[in-house]
Amino acid sequence: MKTVKIECTLEMHDNYSAFSEEEVKLFQLAKSACDKAYAPYSNFRVGAAVVLEDGQIFQGNNQENAAYPSGLCAERVALFYAMSMHPNKKATAIAITVDYKSHPQFQDVVAPCGGCRQVIAEYEHKFNNDIKIYLLGREEKVCIVPSMKAMLPLVFTGDMLHAMHQE
Ligand code: THU
């Protein structure tokens, strides 16, 4: 028997002083997307903003539905929007936030759900490039995850399906 340890390194910031103008703009766009979320059932608003390799930014927010599973998370709305408009451009980063103003109980940054992690991993795999994940916290707190590989180790990718078809 052997044990395998999986580690990941996160970068924690208390304010925006180390960030470029483009990064701060991305954070603001994630926050403004959050304000427009449609979350009448959970009242939990989430916003996301995705940057493509050419600097274009696509925003998304959670869209809920009376038939609950028909809704979609903010991260997927933003990524699917970006990838459907530009299927051949790499996504390089995504910023994610929740509505901290309405939820004083949230102290820590909120991380994406498993389904959104899998979707971010899909596009990292498709383009063979890391997507930097900025988890925005209260005020100017930011946690940077360098790649979905850090948040979703042992990821399932299309390679497994291709390997099966070659059997
Ligand atoms: N939600 C997101 O938008 N992103 C996540 O990563 C977690 C959950 C949304 C889905 C639903 O509209 C609400 O938050 C409550 O789960």
Side-chain angles (χ1 to χ4, degrees):
M1 191 276 256
K2 63 174 180 177
T3 58
V4 178
K5 193 168 167 185
I6 299 174
E7 285 185 338
C8 77
T9 305
L10 309 178
E11 212 178 283
M12 311 298 288
H13 295 255
D14 284 330
N15 58 56
Y16 293 169
S17 58
F19 295 102
S20 66
E21 255 176 52
E22 289 74 26
E23 286 172 307
V24 174
K25 182 178 159 206
L26 182 74
F27 302 165
Q28 281 158 355
L29 289 171
K31 288 180 188 187
S32 65
C34 182
D35 292 337
K36 294 184 212 135
Y38 179 59
Y41 303 105
S42 71
N43 216 20
F44 184 77
R45 278 178 287 283
V46 187
V50 170
V51 201
L52 302 185
E53 55 186 333
D54 62 0
Q56 284 190 81
I57 296 176
F58 289 83
Q59 293 169 281
N61 45 36
N62 51 332
Q63 294 295 316
E64 296 187 348
N65 194 282
Y68 289 3
S70 302
L72 197 61
C73 293
E75 297 89 326
R76 273 179 273 177
V77 170
L79 258 173
F80 290 159
Y81 176 27
M83 292 294 109
S84 62
M85 299 303 284
H86 297 285
N88 299 317
K89 288 184 186 165
K90 292 176 184 153
T92 55
I94 182 168
I96 305 164
T97 191
V98 304
D99 179 16
Y100 292 98
K101 299 184 291 295
S102 314
H103 299 286
Q105 71 274 25
F106 299 146
Q107 288 309 321
D108 295 321
V109 291
V110 175
C113 76
C116 290
R117 292 180 199 209
Q118 182 66 32
V119 167
I120 295 169
E122 177 75 23
Y123 295 113
E124 283 197 340
H125 184 73
K126 174 180 180 189
F127 293 109
N128 192 26
N129 80 299
D130 289 344
I131 298 177
K132 198 183 227 188
I133 301 134
Y134 299 99
L135 303 176
L136 307 183
R138 193 169 281 289
E139 280 137 24
E140 294 197 349
K141 287 195 170 37
V142 183
C143 167
I144 303 181
V145 185
S147 157
M148 189 41 71
K149 292 179 200 79
M151 239 193 241
L152 190 62
L154 306 181
V155 64
F156 180 81
T157 69
D159 286 350
M160 281 76 167
L161 300 175
H162 299 141
M164 185 191 73
H165 291 134
Q166 277 155 15
E167 273 169 14

